[in-house]
Amino acid sequence: MRNINKILALGFLATFFLSSCGGEGGNKTTSEEVKVAETKEIDPMQDKGIGPITSVDISGAIDDALASEGAIFFETNCTACHKLDKRFIGPAITGITKRRTPEWIMNMILNPELMVKENDAAKQLLMEYISPMANQSLTESEARAILEYFRQNDNNGRK
């Protein structure tokens, strides 16, 4: 019985020393480490997100009528979780057009489930705010109106 215990103890020690030394394989990176290294942080003002919106032209002046429609859609669909100037269940909205592309904003409104699955910025927001954004089943034109409301809000001297 003593010999078996000695053999087991020696085997354990040998395994411990060999695994702790690392040997030649100690400097190799795993495929998971390579994936993390390859994942570069994307400039938020270049990230268009995941979803149906690939291009939005906001080069013109703010459309006040569209922004007014957007304010109504925002009040009706978004204020349970978002406030303009303060963190709530979700992030504050003021300044969003200075932090994200118009495409990203609209894709987040229209496609929050896929955004949280596949977009790094949306994943980070989910980790920070815990609660996923609810899909309000808005149309592209309603999301565009909300974006215009955000643009109007951000251009009225707010940061």
Side-chain angles (χ1 to χ4, degrees), residues 17-38:
F17 284 121
L18 288 175
S19 65
S20 65
C21 291
E24 289 179 28
N27 292 329
K28 291 183 181 177
T29 57
T30 66
S31 61
E32 197 61 36
E33 290 170 326
V34 170
K35 285 181 189 175
V36 170
E38 289 175 353

Side-chain angles (χ1 to χ4, degrees), residues 136-155:
Q136 299 296 316
S137 299
L138 297 171
T139 66
E140 283 187 26
S141 61
E142 291 167 335
R144 179 61 182 90
I146 292 171
L147 172 64
E148 198 68 3
Y149 172 61
F150 293 167
R151 287 182 64 213
Q152 184 184 59
N153 182 62
D154 288 349
N155 287 326

Side-chain angles (χ1 to χ4, degrees), residues 80-138:
C81 295
H82 295 281
K83 303 299 177 204
L84 287 177
D85 294 323
K86 66 179 179 178
R87 177 187 176 116
F88 193 51
I89 295 168
I93 296 302
T94 298
I96 187 69
T97 63
K98 311 283 189 222
R99 297 187 309 267
R100 303 279 180 218
T101 63
E103 296 85 1
W104 190 96
I105 294 167
M106 288 184 64
N107 280 323
M108 191 65 180
I109 292 169
L110 295 170
N111 203 20
E113 301 93 345
L114 193 56
M115 285 284 286
V116 167
K117 275 184 168 177
E118 298 185 20
N119 181 267
D120 288 339
K123 288 178 189 178
Q124 289 174 351
L125 285 171
L126 178 61
M127 289 189 320
E128 182 177 348
Y129 289 90
I130 311 301
S131 181
M133 183 158 146
N135 189 332
Q136 299 296 316
S137 299
L138 297 171

